[in-house]
Amino acid sequence: MKNLTRSVIWRYAIGQLGWPILSGLVSSWLVYFYQPDQTGLKEGMPLFIPQGRVIFGVLTIIGLIGALGRLFDAVTDPLVGNLSDNCKSPLGRRVPFLRYSALPFGISTLLIFCAPIQKISSINTVWLFVFVLLYYFLLTCYYTPYTSLIAELAKSQEEKLSLSTCISLTFIVGTAISYIAPVVWTAFINNGMERVFAMRLTFGIFSALAVCFMLVPGLTLNEKDYCQGTSEQSSMFDSLAKTFSNKDFRIFVGQDVIYWFALTMFQTGLPFFVTALLKLPETYATPMFVGLTAASLLFYLPVNLLAKKFGKKKIVLAAFLFFVADFLFTGLCGDSLAIPNGAQAVIIVLAAAFPMAAFGILPQAMVADLSQAETAVTGQNRSGMFFAARTFAFKLGQSAAMLAFTSLATISRQNGTGYRIVAICASVCCALGALILVFFNEKKIMKEIEGA
């Protein structure tokens, strides 16, 4: 097997620059596009689907579609993970999925925002449901095999942290690019373009850019030069059961579900926190996230050094506590605080910088540790299923978050009470996630790896 080089690491990491652009477009702007707040309506945003809690008087249509999409995605994660583990392609077990899912993934993302009827219509609801399901399935086809390569490419803890750091960097940059969308579509609108067409053109440009990035690892990496993985030839249910029989993996998944529930609620709510709570223009979401990206980069080296000295678990616990404070502050922000609203936006960004860096780097390395320890103990390489099972679980959290956010956000929308409840709920969830992570036995896992 060839050793990893800086070139290989970065060619692999560029793939993680692509799919977060698509994921960011959907997670940040799907609700904003189909369930606009008062600011969006005043600026001429049309309605495409029925609004409000019209399902059992509790759920919104956009919330239900988003949740069902993530639930469908979660169910297909083990399927794709098992297909990848059992793949016998001459290209390897992971690369074929990266190569052939990228373009359809980009097209499906754009089509989500292209509902055909320019008014409230059941046709738009069906359209949205179909393409949301397709989007999430294609996300799984790319993401699960992609992350599975971490445990197989890295031969040491140093390489594992290097890979996780690089893909965390490209992930946050890719997500930041998705937050530039309002700046782009506003520029189009200011030049006379109709609002919806301007937004769709922006999403199309970003989707094409993302596809180009996603194709880089699939087209430039020879998987068999660096990975010794062989096809497992086991059934999906057998592999999934063996994976979840690992106690520490179950603990990791428990805190991960709660973390992603909190983060998804907060990320989906950010444009609304900006406009409804801070009373700032929607374009402020872009400098806030760009600022968060820049600030979090300052913590990449410290997070690596601290993880090597104290272990990954302790750093993630500290990150949870930072999020508890930051999300709680967001829930209280606005004119009632004796701090200028612009300064409050800065505080929200700076407080999230360290935890964003920690959660961007360390959880993926922790899953790789679990997979590597399992291989050392059992002799079975099921990295695809480990990463698939992880995504299966955290997408359940995302599904619940989509339902919760779209329902809570409708509470007293005129004064932003629902958005405050969302942020406070996210804070409480992070505290619970930290409590669960306390029981994760990192020392045992590292001993199993070292004993291989």
Side-chain angles (χ1 to χ4, degrees), residues 255 258-259 261-263 265-266 320-329 331 420-436:
Q255 62 84 35
I258 294 172
Y259 161 70
F261 177 86
L263 184 66
M265 290 245 288
F266 190 81
F320 263 129
L321 297 181
F322 268 84
F323 267 148
V324 168
D326 191 34
F327 293 170
L328 180 60
F329 176 81
R420 296 187 188 280
I421 294 173
V422 164
I424 293 171
C425 284
S427 177
V428 172
C429 286
C430 285
L432 180 58
L435 180 62
I436 293 173

Side-chain angles (χ1 to χ4, degrees), residues 176-191:
I177 291 173
S178 73
Y179 268 82
I180 300 174
V183 176
V184 177
W185 77 56
T186 299
F188 288 145
I189 292 171
N190 290 339
N191 281 279

